[in-house]
Amino acid sequence: MDKTMHFHIAHPRPGCEVVFLRQLGGAQRDPSRLAQVFADHPGRAAEDMLCDILEGMANWLDQLQQRLAAADHAAMAKPAARIALVAGQIGLTDVALAAKHVADAAAFGDRHALAAILGRLERAFDVTVTELWDFRDP
């Protein structure tokens, strides 16, 4: 089933179409990678490491917002690629994919696309943080 909604806008560039994407359900994760983190780091070490990783990603997200506001699109690729790499390593699939899309869009310099994709990345990150926090609570 197609989960995207397509809308044509009144005065787009020829051949352009606006696509609204809805996020259904929770965060997409690779549980085996997250389980490996807990297996490799017993006790609170895994939680502490994940907190450090998430804090680092939050800082990179802040850098992305600042660079978008400054229209420094080329400088957005590096922090986005870092988020994609780290998120992929710990199994945060949707965060990694959205970050990769930000890095790819930075090469084109389309501020509207970057803003939309960065918004998607931030929502994926927020959902992930919430779900990981809820997961650790008994």
Side-chain angles (χ1 to χ4, degrees), residues 26-27 29 54 92 95 122-137:
R29 291 190 302 264
L54 294 174
L92 306 180
V95 172
E122 289 175 331
R123 286 187 301 277
F125 181 75
D126 289 344
V127 168
T128 296
V129 169
T130 300
E131 287 188 5
L132 287 175
W133 187 259
D134 290 346
F135 173 76
R136 67 179 277 294
D137 286 340

Side-chain angles (χ1 to χ4, degrees), residues 90-126:
I90 62 171
L92 306 180
T93 309
D94 53 351
V95 172
L97 183 61
K100 182 187 178 316
H101 290 164
V102 170
D104 292 345
F108 293 103
D110 182 337
R111 67 183 172 97
H112 299 292
L114 278 167
I117 299 167
L118 183 54
R120 189 179 100 214
L121 171 57
E122 289 175 331
R123 286 187 301 277
F125 181 75
D126 289 344

Side-chain angles (χ1 to χ4, degrees), residues 68-102:
L68 180 64
D72 190 2
H73 303 139
M76 294 177 72
K78 191 171 183 177
R82 287 178 178 160
I83 293 171
L85 177 66
V86 172
Q89 289 174 339
I90 62 171
L92 306 180
T93 309
D94 53 351
V95 172
L97 183 61
K100 182 187 178 316
H101 290 164
V102 170

Side-chain angles (χ1 to χ4, degrees), residues 24-81:
L24 302 174
Q28 300 297 312
R29 291 190 302 264
D30 179 351
S32 65
R33 291 189 183 210
L34 200 51
Q36 190 63 47
V37 169
F38 282 93
D40 292 345
H41 301 85
R44 287 208 28 99
E47 284 186 26
D48 291 344
M49 187 181 83
L50 283 174
C51 286
D52 289 344
I53 289 170
L54 294 174
E55 183 178 358
M57 282 198 265
N59 289 332
W60 290 328
L61 281 168
D62 187 50
Q63 288 177 20
L64 289 171
Q65 279 292 355
Q66 291 172 9
R67 291 171 182 177
L68 180 64
D72 190 2
H73 303 139
M76 294 177 72
K78 191 171 183 177

